[in-house]
Structure formats: C-alpha cells, structure tokens
Amino acid sequence: MAIKTVGVVGCGLMGSGVAQASAQAGYNTVVSEINQQLLDRGLGMITSNLAKAVEKGRMTDDARKSVLGRLKGTLVMEDFKDCDIVIEVVLEDMTEKKRVFSALDRICPPNAILASNTSCLSIIEMAMATKRPDKVLGLHFFNPVQVMKLLEVVRTLTTSDETIATARAFGESLGKKVILAKDTPGFIVNRLFIPYLLSAIRLYESGAASKEDIDEGMVLGCNHPMGPLALADFVGLDTVFFVANALFDEFKEGRYAPPPLLRKMVAARYLGRKTGKGFYEYK
Ligand code: 3HC
C-alpha cells in the first residue's frame, strides 16, 4: 500500500517530532491538538527546529518552506479523513487511546493503518476499539524524534503481514532503522532501558555515589551520550515511573519496581526538565 498522507494525533514533544519527520520525508502531514494553544506550541517547536537546521546549513530555506507547506495543523479529527496512516501520540491513558482509535476508525478510509506511539500500553486493546484490528500496530519513536534513528514496529496478535510491511517501509522512508517487537509492555528497548534507569536511581538512593559521579561513570565509562540520572530527567520522571509501573504490573519482577525515591520525586512534581527540577535543576 502506498502512503501519501500521514496523520499525527497529538502535537506535544513526541507528536511534533513525528509530524516533522513525516513532512521532511515528503508526506502531506496533518497534525492535531485539543486546543489552539497546544497546537501553536507544537507547530512552534517544528518551526524553530527547521529554522535551526537552516542556520546550521543542514537544510536550504526552500526545503524548510516546502516542509512547512506539507504540514497542516488542526483541531478537528475529521481532517484525518484522507490519511493513509495515522499515528496516535496522545497521553498514556488507555481510555483516551481507545477513544482516539474508535474515532479514527470511524473517520479514516477503510484501508488506512492506525498506529500508536505508546511506550508500554497494550496495543491489542486499542486495536479492539476499531473494526480493523488487522490494520493496527505500534510505531514507537524515541526522543528527540528528529535525532534518534530507531523505530520499534510492534505487532499485535491481529496485525496483518501487509500492515507490518507497509509500516516498515514507512519507517525506513523517515530515515529510521526499524526493529520488530511483539505487543508486550516495554517492547524491546524499554524492557532493558527502564531497569537500567531504575538501577541508577537505586544506586543514588543507597548513597553509594553522587548523582554527578554516577552519570559521569556511564558517560565516560560506557560512552553513553548522557548519564542515567540526566537521561531520566530528559525522559521525564513521571514517564519513567509510569512505564516502570506498567512493566511491574505485567511481569511482577523486582527489577521493574519503582524505587521509593522515584515515587517521592514524582509526588513532589520533580519531573525533570519539563518542570525545571529533577535530579538536576534546569533554567
Ligand atoms: N530536537 C531536535 N534536535 C535536537 C534536539 C531536539 N530536542 N536535541 C538535540 N538535537 C540535535 C541538535 O540540534 C544537534 O544537531 P546537529 O548535530 O545537527 O548540530 C544534535 O542533536 C546534538 O545535540 P547537542 O549538540 O545540542 O547535544 P548532545 O550532543 O548532547 O545531544 C541528545 C543531545 C541528542 C539529546 C543526546 O544527549 C542523546 O542522544 N541523549 C540520549 C537520548 C536518548 O537516550 N533518548 C531515548 C529516550 S527513551 C525514549 O524516548 C523511549 C520512551 O518510551 C521512554
């Protein structure tokens, strides 16, 4: 199946990144938000990312204008009516996800693919809110979407081979390396990544070392671009907590259990970069 028009539901940090990647790859892209303020903020992030790319000489000004010309922001779900694939990037809340999938199923052409960017929720539950579970799958992008080269394509019990093949080709057309995972919480990367972050938080909580030394240890000792505590702040401590809980609920393994310090920081709204304070402070 040929994809020409792409929809993205949600224009936050991840949604705006997905919409930008799609428009940059040459697709007409419709991106929605729930109110004008959030839409303006999301489109503003794309505009400023593209301007920076031109400044750094990585994109011509003409290319920037054509990318923006392919992007359409909307507040109306009906604008997804001509999309060949729609990617849902809304809050990690199953009730909300099911509501979005059911609306997309009603609005989109019958052969359109519907995808979720969830990090850990059950995609088959979203698929069963539609009448096309063979055309539903996960497309899990990584933050910052513009920089990270990976895309996890997630297959449920009902996803067809054709849907997987189309989604894989679509991901590759965005310049991503595609890996295939089954519909289990955390897929491949978060199954390994979340216990790593939780171990770093436990190590810090135990008093074994300072946060700076833990981070420097992993940056210089393992060549990671960021240490685990800085990375937890970057991802958002609420997100780390949410995914950890989802993994723990499913597998009941101690390595997924959120450490008390993480729970307390989330309660205090020390969520990392997004609130200006997490393990570190941000201006
Ligand atoms: N949006 C767009 N571009 C960005 C960006 C952003 N938010 N942040 C950085 N960049 C670009 C910069 O413009 C720069 O581009 P250039 O090389 O063309 O000039 C390049 O990335 C490098 O940026 P900087 O020089 O400013 O800074 P760093 O070299 O420190 O890189 C980083 C920043 C890319 C964020 C790097 O530190 C990194 O890769 N960190 C790890 C990120 C990571 O692990 N992400 C996965 C999180 S897990 C996840 O998303 C899954 C979820 O389910 C939890």
Side-chain angles (χ1 to χ4, degrees):
M1 178 193 157
I3 290 179
K4 291 199 183 79
T5 306
V6 175
V8 182
V9 187
C11 196
L13 192 64
M14 293 300 285
S16 63
V18 175
Q20 181 184 329
S22 162
Q24 265 181 242
Y27 298 107
N28 290 323
T29 306
V30 182
V31 59
S32 72
E33 253 307 344
I34 49 171
N35 64 48
Q36 193 63 47
Q37 195 190 356
L38 290 176
L39 185 61
D40 289 345
R41 199 175 67 175
L43 293 174
M45 286 193 269
I46 299 176
T47 309
S48 99
N49 272 329
L50 293 174
K52 275 188 211 143
V54 173
E55 250 171 57
K56 287 179 180 169
R58 281 193 280 107
M59 183 182 273
T60 65
D61 198 48
D62 283 350
R64 180 189 68 83
K65 283 183 194 142
S66 35
V67 172
L68 288 175
R70 284 192 287 274
L71 265 175
K72 175 185 167 166
T74 185
L75 300 176
V76 185
M77 292 287 278
E78 274 62 26
D79 283 345
F80 293 118
K81 68 180 180 356
D82 298 321
C83 289
D84 304 304
I85 185 168
V86 183
I87 304 150
E88 162 280 306
V89 195
V90 304
L91 291 179
E92 291 280 50
D93 175 279
M94 184 54 87
T95 308
E96 182 58 12
K97 302 257 191 208
K98 284 187 181 169
R99 194 193 63 72
V100 167
F101 273 82
S102 157
L104 291 172
D105 189 42
R106 180 172 46 77
I107 291 160
C108 295
N111 59 346
I113 292 176
L114 306 180
S116 173
N117 179 58
T118 184
S119 305
C120 58
L121 295 177
S122 160
I123 296 164
I124 188 65
E125 283 188 48
M126 301 173 213
M128 297 315 282
T130 75
K131 295 191 182 70
R132 61 179 91 189
D134 57 316
K135 295 189 176 59
V136 176
L137 83 170
L139 287 182
H140 182 222
F141 290 84
F142 293 81
N143 179 25
V145 179
Q146 299 86 342
V147 177
M148 304 301 284
K149 296 207 168 14
L150 187 70
L151 175 64
E152 285 181 310
V153 169
V154 185
R155 169 173 223 149
T156 75
L157 289 177
T158 57
T159 314
S160 71
D161 289 344
E162 193 194 348
T163 300
I164 294 291
T166 307
R168 179 188 279 278
F170 171 68
E172 287 169 352
S173 76
L174 301 187
K176 304 298 177 197
K177 168 80 189 160
V178 170
I179 57 175
L180 191 60
K182 288 187 181 158
D183 181 24
T184 48
F187 316 128
I188 297 170
V189 174
N190 278 334
R191 263 306 261 287
L192 300 170
F193 176 61
I194 294 295
Y196 162 62
L197 296 188
L198 299 181
S199 299
I201 297 170
R202 279 190 206 103
L203 187 65
Y204 175 55
E205 191 175 29
S206 76
S210 70
K211 56 186 183 241
E212 291 83 3
D213 283 357
I214 291 171
D215 277 350
E216 195 138 271
M218 294 311 290
V219 171
L220 299 181
C222 293
N223 245 0
H224 288 191
M226 279 178 175
L229 300 173
L231 188 49
D233 277 357
F234 180 76
V235 169
L237 298 191
D238 51 343
T239 303
V240 175
F241 186 62
F242 184 84
V243 183
N245 277 314
L247 288 164
F248 186 73
D249 283 351
E250 180 78 10
F251 300 111
K252 307 283 186 290
E253 291 173 24
R255 65 198 165 120
Y256 299 121
L261 177 61
L262 177 61
R263 187 181 297 278
K264 286 186 275 189
M265 289 176 77
V266 170
R269 303 282 303 160
Y270 295 171
L271 305 183
R273 289 197 185 198
K274 66 174 94 169
T275 56
K277 186 173 167 67
F279 290 101
Y280 299 92
E281 296 207 356
Y282 303 87
K283 295 253 156 53

